[in-house]
Amino acid sequence: MSFLIKCIDCGHLAPYYPTSTTCPKCNSQWREAEYDYEIVGKTLLPRLQSRPFDLWRYRELLPIRNPNTSLSLGEGGTPLIRAVNLGMMLGCPNIYIKDERQGPTASFKDRQAAVTIAALKEAGITEMVAASTGNVAISYSAYASRAGMKLWAFVTSLVPAMKMREIALYGSQVIKITGSYDQCKQVAAEFANQRHLYQDMGARTITSIEAMKTIAFEIAEQLTTLQGAGENTPWQTPDWYVQAISGGMGPIGIYKGFREMQTMGWIDRIPAFAPIQADGCAPMVTSWKQGLEKAEVVTSPKTRIETLATGDPGRSYQFLRQYVNNTNGAFESVSDEDAFRAMHVLAKMEGISAEPAAAVAFAGLFKLIRAGVIKPSDTVVVNCTGHTMPAEAGVLGENWARDVKLMTSEETPQEGLLSALRQVAPERFPKIAIVEDAAEARRLIRRILQSQGSFTILEAGNGREGLALIERELPDLVILDLMMPEMDGFTVIEELRSKQETATIPVIVATAKELTPDEKDRLNGQIQSLMQKGDFLNDEFLEEVKSLIK
Ligand SMILES: *Cc1c(COP(=O)(O)O)cnc(C)c1O
Ligand SMILES: [Zn+2]
């Protein structure tokens, strides 16, 4: 693979050695790999067809001279999953999840570790130092063990114990630093300097940026398979790329990937970037919102999401600020609680269990859609950066499991089983009737309700059937659409209110329609609540449901 390292500050070109970390001319630590885009742009696409779907399929654009397959753990090639339920809930149908949990150690840091360790192995390096909030050290440890390298892993004491033990299990030396992540990085750097050991430099590590950019290549390639080619280009680009960030290495690399594809004519534009931070440690977001050119440092981060605790982003902020502004993107931050809630939504609606740091991206997505920054017609890719293994205590709250104790000595086995099952669930659950003509919307509302508690859900596909169902079953709550064939929702309400047995059954109207003042008058006093479709994620809806069925 022919490539050179170009200094971002003075433009000097030099060959690549992993251990030479500064520009030989001006000493800048900010450099990037440059390839012969003219040639690669023409020759790589046809070659891809016969290559496996992993990170190494783009090897002509990676800074490794001879990719060593014996180190591979199957990095890259993660699926791009359409989030149909989230899309319906948010009224934004084209949301895709880049599922980086499916990397070998379950976070997107596997790409960084795979490429960096390959480069270090190629250069004969056998020992290295990394500061980490957990996932980087886990990934490096896995690949270092395959490469026969020793890793000194500096982690802050707030990293979950499970993650620390995993690092140790791979054979790395864990060094716990009681202090902030930024301090932890300083201690690690000092240790590496004293011992002359190779150290990971975050976003200044050429191999890390190059590894991350493969996410952009995969997104464009996968979106092309799902949606077809671009208008005048072989590959397709989303409108948005959303990611939770700490130091911002991911989006810096991913932006470079999109830029390279644009240079090679594979795509014609770069998506809008939306980097998301946790409120308690959001130096880039607050600085961007104030229009600052340099980030104001957060010295003591106040988030429980340790993975995202970079308080001093340094120059990475300047790059990201430029990328966000160039692409009409947006920085945004969310609270820890928003992230935990998003974690539940993602798991319960899409079957994806993400770690709190990854959920920050989804909470950011919800916020940007609600604010109208991301439009309903936009195609959005959200990076699901890491898996929650295990779910941290505190995320679920109390009562998340039900205990069943089988067999006391006086009972026959049969009686014991029945009484145990009665403990699991009462015989009668609150009944909720969903009257809605769109089957997809019925399914979505059912799923939202099921994820919130135990209900008996009854469904009807038009007003007339709905009315008959309600009169027969006398549910505890009705969720009603307005525009339906046979009999519209307004008539259903009038009929219900005119009969004694159904007069007091609470009704929530869920509608996609903007109501006229006249229609609002007709509903006034007749229903308990009015919900716009696309706004079911709203806590109000769930609170409303809970308060209405007591
Ligand atoms: C490292 C990490 C991030 C933040 O990534 P950066 O691009 O380096 O800011 C987000 N989520 C998870 C799960 C991570 O491990
Ligand atoms: Zn230079």
Side-chain angles (χ1 to χ4, degrees):
M1 331 282 111
S2 87
F3 63 96
L4 287 167
I5 304 304
K6 183 175 182 177
C7 173
I8 290 176
D9 290 310
C10 78
H12 180 76
L13 288 164
Y16 176 57
Y17 302 104
T19 46
S20 117
T21 54
T22 54
C23 168
K25 201 159 161 218
C26 77
N27 258 331
S28 169
Q29 293 186 326
W30 293 91
R31 304 184 305 153
E32 61 183 18
E34 202 176 69
Y35 304 79
D36 189 337
Y37 299 113
E38 187 69 38
I39 293 183
V40 179
K42 289 204 188 89
T43 54
L44 183 52
L45 284 184
R47 284 185 200 161
L48 290 178
Q49 282 154 20
S50 60
R51 292 186 181 172
F53 194 62
D54 65 18
L55 166 159
W56 299 106
R57 69 197 264 101
Y58 313 108
R59 58 179 164 265
E60 283 82 348
L61 293 167
L62 289 172
I64 306 294
R65 292 182 180 89
N66 297 298
N68 179 346
T69 50
S70 72
L71 294 180
S72 174
L73 283 164
E75 49 281 355
T78 58
L80 186 69
I81 298 168
R82 179 135 186 215
V84 178
N85 293 329
L86 275 190
M88 278 187 74
M89 289 171 89
L90 295 161
C92 185
N94 294 312
I95 298 174
Y96 294 89
I97 298 173
K98 183 63 176 158
D99 193 4
E100 288 293 299
R101 301 172 314 153
Q102 299 197 37
T105 75
S107 88
F108 78 144
K109 301 299 195 313
D110 286 327
R111 295 180 191 258
Q112 169 186 4
V115 176
T116 303
I117 298 281
L120 297 182
K121 171 108 182 168
E122 206 167 60
I125 292 162
T126 57
E127 209 169 324
M128 73 172 286
V129 175
S132 169
T133 52
N135 292 342
V136 171
I138 290 175
S139 294
Y140 270 130
S141 296
Y143 286 92
S145 79
R146 289 178 80 75
M149 284 174 60
K150 156 107 183 173
L151 174 75
W152 300 87
F154 287 73
V155 296
T156 70
S157 49
L158 295 175
V159 170
M162 300 271 187
K163 286 190 176 179
M164 289 196 201
R165 289 198 288 269
E166 185 177 354
I167 299 166
L169 180 65
Y170 291 119
S172 299
Q173 178 61 56
V174 176
I175 298 156
K176 258 194 254 184
I177 305 292
T178 306
S180 72
Y181 178 45
D182 293 312
Q183 291 171 321
C184 172
K185 278 193 273 198
Q186 281 166 16
V187 177
E190 190 50 43
F191 178 85
N193 287 340
Q194 278 179 13
R195 306 210 170 196
H196 306 289
L197 295 178
Y198 175 87
Q199 61 175 308
D200 180 77
M201 303 284 285
R204 289 161 297 175
T205 308
I206 283 161
T207 42
S208 298
I209 295 298
E210 295 304 295
M212 287 301 176
K213 83 186 184 189
T214 59
I215 294 177
F217 297 161
E218 288 179 16
I219 289 173
E221 199 177 352
Q222 288 171 309
L223 211 53
T224 303
T225 310
L226 292 163
Q227 298 193 338
E231 243 167 72
N232 299 304
T233 52
W235 282 2
Q236 181 69 255
T237 333
D239 297 307
W240 286 89
Y241 172 73
V242 183
Q243 192 205 300
I245 60 160
S246 182
M249 182 183 57
I252 291 178
I254 288 155
Y255 187 89
K256 182 170 191 269
F258 281 113
R259 207 181 62 208
E260 288 184 345
M261 287 189 282
Q262 194 181 31
T263 304
M264 296 184 293
W266 295 0
I267 57 171
D268 55 10
R269 66 200 165 89
I270 298 177
F273 270 57
I276 317 290
Q277 296 196 292
D279 282 341
C281 185
M284 301 210 229
V285 181
T286 50
S287 303
W288 181 75
K289 289 190 175 175
Q290 292 173 55
L292 302 180
E293 280 178 24
K294 287 194 175 151
E296 259 173 15
V297 173
V298 172
T299 41
S300 53
K302 288 184 180 54
T303 168
R304 279 173 286 165
I305 305 176
E306 183 62 10
T307 306
L308 302 182
T310 300
D312 182 1
R315 198 164 159 189
S316 290
Y317 166 68
Q318 285 153 266
F319 292 114
L320 282 183
R321 176 173 183 262
Q322 191 192 331
Y323 302 163
V324 166
N325 290 344
N326 286 351
T327 59
N328 290 317
F331 281 93
E332 192 50 273
S333 68
V334 299
S335 68
D336 288 6
E337 286 67 31
D338 286 342
F340 293 148
R341 216 173 294 132
M343 211 173 146
H344 281 269
V345 169
L346 194 60
K348 293 185 169 72
M349 301 307 296
E350 297 291 356
I352 289 177
S353 164
E355 71 168 87
V360 161
F362 289 87
L365 169 78
F366 303 163
K367 199 165 173 181
L368 290 173
I369 290 178
R370 287 214 186 102
V373 176
I374 294 180
K375 304 277 182 301
S377 60
D378 287 347
T379 297
V380 186
V381 173
V382 187
N383 189 336
C384 186
T385 44
H387 194 293
T388 186
M389 285 192 298
E392 287 159 38
V395 158
L396 284 173
E398 306 293 318
N399 300 326
W400 50 270
R402 295 188 188 146
D403 269 341
V404 176
K405 299 202 178 63
L406 281 180
M407 293 282 281
T408 57
S409 53
E410 315 88 77
E411 287 168 326
T412 66
Q414 189 60 19
E415 281 169 348
L417 189 61
L418 288 176
S419 75
L421 286 178
R422 271 194 294 277
Q423 295 164 30
V424 176
E427 275 165 39
R428 185 187 181 281
F429 296 119
K431 279 189 202 169
I432 303 180
I434 306 170
V435 185
E436 156 74 63
D437 61 325
E440 276 294 283
R442 278 203 308 274
R443 184 180 61 83
L444 180 72
I445 297 171
R446 184 191 337 128
R447 186 65 200 119
I448 294 171
L449 293 170
Q450 282 170 340
S451 71
Q452 296 297 314
S454 300
F455 305 111
T456 298
I457 309 242
L458 311 163
E459 296 179 33
N462 66 51
R464 190 170 304 282
E465 279 175 22
L467 184 62
L469 176 82
I470 296 165
E471 289 175 343
R472 191 173 65 238
E473 299 282 344
L474 299 176
D476 300 274
L477 173 67
V478 174
I479 296 177
L480 182 68
D481 188 14
L482 288 179
M483 296 300 126
M484 289 180 293
E486 301 284 326
M487 181 186 283
D488 69 14
F490 295 103
T491 316
V492 173
I493 294 168
E494 279 157 16
E495 292 285 325
L496 291 178
R497 296 303 175 237
S498 70
K499 293 185 192 108
Q500 204 194 340
E501 311 81 70
T502 56
T504 58
I505 296 177
V507 173
I508 295 179
V509 164
T511 179
K513 178 180 157 41
E514 276 297 327
L515 296 187
T516 63
D518 214 37
E519 289 170 329
K520 280 193 183 142
D521 272 355
R522 272 179 89 184
L523 293 177
N524 200 10
Q526 304 298 314
I527 63 168
Q528 275 55 47
S529 158
L530 180 68
M531 291 290 158
Q532 287 297 125
K533 278 177 195 164
D535 206 16
F536 292 133
L537 271 181
N538 204 320
D539 290 337
E540 264 172 54
F541 173 68
L542 299 167
E543 288 308 314
E544 196 75 44
V545 168
K546 281 179 193 157
S547 75
L548 290 175
I549 29 179
K550 259 180 268 145

